[in-house]
Amino acid sequence: MEKKITLIVCDGDQNTRVDTFINKHNKEISRTRIKNLILDQNLKINNKIIKDPSKKLMLNDKISIQIPEPKKTSLKPFNYNLNIVYEDDDLLVINKPAGIVMHPGAGNYDNTIVNALINYDKELSTSIGDELRPGIVHRIDKNTSGLVVIAKNNFTHENLSNQFNKHSILRSYQLLIWGKLRPSTGRIETFITRSSKNRQMMEASLTKGKKAITNYKTLEIFENKNTPTLTFLECKLETGRTHQIRVHMNYLGNSIVGDDKYKKKFKKIKNIDEELNNLLLGLDRQFLHAKTLGFFHPKKNEEMVFTSNLPHELDIVIKKLRKLNN
């Protein structure tokens, strides 16, 4: 059912952002959902349509926001076996395999994690966050595997979103890159912005975009007469920008093995072990896995940390490299 919220700005709320103000006085919808409603021209301040979520309010302003009925037909259930690591009344943590996208988008509106969640939990409301991304707090790329947390209600969604915005979430990834890094442990700090050459890609910049910080640590280096030089890394994120690790590795000149966007052209390597060569050529994904996810539970107020082992297709590559390195 379509709903309308009407509020008056009282003393103490002036100079507050309008999205923050609405969220403060109505906890039924998340700030993310409010922001999207405003961008879709559903907000009026003093009977004038406002499209800026950051608009500052004045005393006695009349706020009116229209909440359209969720587009239930826009999300079709997808019969997909979710790998659920943890679940309670407020959230669930899933271990996403490579090959499936998180939410509907151009070219794929049906076979996504969101559609699988709708199929799994019929009570999952499209009003949690964005109606096409219900419950989604953060994302990992289609061809990246690993841990993702999903919110089941707006309170949890808002709380977890704030933790991500404050960069207090623990996120570590394991990856395999071409070459090796010097120093072997370090910190990459740049801005990340959309590529001017390809709008589907991002690029590192020293002057524009959003700040991105990646901390890396070398776990193992593989190099001998039968293997190209490859490095197994752990990366911990301080920020969560689109394609952040992939962009930062490419920025250093050490792209991730199997990355189809941010890569150096793969050339046949002389004297490479045949089995290893077939394993590397056979990867239909980037060698990037979200291994660790930690956050404070919004209701229990206790720290929760989850870990996930490398999936089989990545694990066999590492085992083969270790065998060749001995």
Side-chain angles (χ1 to χ4, degrees):
M1 179 182 293
E2 192 167 292
K3 183 179 179 181
K4 184 177 181 180
I5 297 172
T6 302
L7 299 165
I8 302 294
V9 178
C10 298
D11 192 31
D13 281 324
Q14 61 265 47
N15 294 321
T16 302
R17 286 174 54 123
V18 64
D19 57 351
T20 304
F21 172 77
I22 296 171
N23 180 244
K24 175 183 175 182
H25 293 280
N26 192 302
K27 295 294 185 182
E28 292 181 15
I29 51 177
S30 70
R31 187 167 165 182
T32 301
R33 174 82 166 122
I34 293 166
K35 177 182 177 182
N36 289 328
L37 287 170
I38 295 171
L39 293 173
D40 289 339
Q41 302 185 43
N42 288 292
L43 171 72
K44 288 185 178 179
I45 299 179
N46 302 324
N47 295 316
K48 180 181 178 181
I49 293 176
I50 300 295
K51 296 184 287 185
D52 181 9
S54 65
K55 171 75 173 176
K56 296 293 180 67
L57 298 175
M58 299 178 64
L59 189 64
N60 296 322
D61 275 349
K62 181 182 178 182
I63 311 300
S64 176
I65 186 164
Q66 201 78 21
I67 306 172
E69 186 174 359
K71 300 173 184 176
K72 294 179 182 178
T73 56
S74 63
L75 288 177
K76 296 179 181 179
F78 176 35
N79 188 12
Y80 181 85
N81 187 25
L82 292 167
N83 183 357
I84 298 173
V85 176
Y86 173 84
E87 182 177 14
D88 61 26
D89 291 339
D90 301 297
L91 57 87
L92 53 84
V93 176
I94 64 171
N95 193 7
K96 186 189 90 66
I100 183 169
V101 296
M102 287 294 298
H103 56 75
N108 185 359
Y109 289 96
D110 301 326
N111 301 330
T112 76
I113 290 294
V114 161
N115 298 97
L117 288 165
I118 295 294
N119 182 70
Y120 172 75
D121 185 356
K122 305 296 190 295
E123 300 301 315
L124 188 65
S125 172
T126 54
S127 66
I128 304 172
D130 188 296
E131 64 186 7
L132 288 179
R133 306 177 187 181
I136 300 299
V137 182
H138 65 123
R139 296 170 288 174
I140 56 178
D141 297 333
K142 175 182 178 180
N143 288 325
T144 298
S145 55
L147 298 170
V148 181
V149 61
I150 310 292
K152 286 187 173 184
N153 53 61
N154 275 312
F155 177 85
T156 300
H157 188 275
E158 188 73 16
N159 186 288
L160 290 172
S161 296
N162 286 336
Q163 290 185 54
F164 273 92
N165 291 336
K166 293 175 182 176
H167 312 307
S168 61
I169 297 281
L170 170 63
R171 282 175 294 168
S172 72
Y173 290 73
Q174 288 184 335
L175 55 150
L176 187 69
I177 61 168
W178 297 103
K180 54 188 175 183
L181 300 181
R182 290 289 181 264
S184 59
T185 299
R187 174 185 171 96
I188 310 164
E189 184 171 348
T190 70
F191 295 97
I192 286 181
T193 186
R194 196 162 295 280
S195 170
S196 56
K197 298 178 181 178
N198 184 341
R199 300 300 293 171
Q200 293 183 330
M201 296 177 65
M202 311 299 287
E203 62 186 14
S205 170
L206 298 178
T207 58
K208 62 180 181 179
K210 295 181 179 179
K211 181 181 286 189
I213 302 172
T214 303
N215 297 290
Y216 70 86
K217 178 174 70 174
T218 296
L219 300 177
E220 296 176 75
I221 297 175
F222 306 104
E223 55 180 350
N224 60 60
K225 63 180 183 179
N226 294 318
T227 71
T229 300
L230 296 164
T231 302
F232 190 35
L233 289 178
E234 178 182 89
C235 284
K236 289 187 177 179
L237 300 183
E238 288 187 33
T239 57
R241 307 306 177 202
T242 301
H243 301 169
Q244 179 172 317
I245 295 176
R246 298 166 68 188
V247 171
H248 272 167
M249 290 302 113
N250 191 55
Y251 171 72
L252 295 181
N254 302 84
S255 56
I256 298 173
V257 170
D259 196 329
D260 62 350
K261 282 189 176 181
Y262 304 93
K263 66 177 180 180
K264 294 181 178 177
K265 190 171 183 180
F266 181 79
K267 296 180 180 178
K268 186 170 177 57
I269 301 165
K270 294 180 180 179
N271 304 321
I272 187 173
D273 177 86
E274 185 177 353
E275 183 182 352
L276 175 62
N277 188 54
N278 290 335
L279 287 172
L280 294 178
L281 289 175
L283 279 179
D284 57 357
R285 54 162 300 174
Q286 58 255 11
F287 198 119
L288 180 61
H289 178 68
K291 179 179 176 60
T292 307
L293 178 65
F295 53 86
F296 273 91
H297 193 288
K299 295 280 184 70
K300 297 178 180 179
N301 199 30
E302 62 183 42
E303 187 174 17
M304 308 189 79
V305 179
F306 302 91
T307 59
S308 166
N309 294 328
L310 285 175
H312 175 71
E313 69 271 17
L314 303 187
D315 188 49
I316 58 174
V317 173
I318 293 297
K319 286 179 177 177
K320 182 63 180 178
L321 285 167
R322 287 171 178 161
K323 184 177 180 181
L324 292 170
N325 235 35
N326 289 334

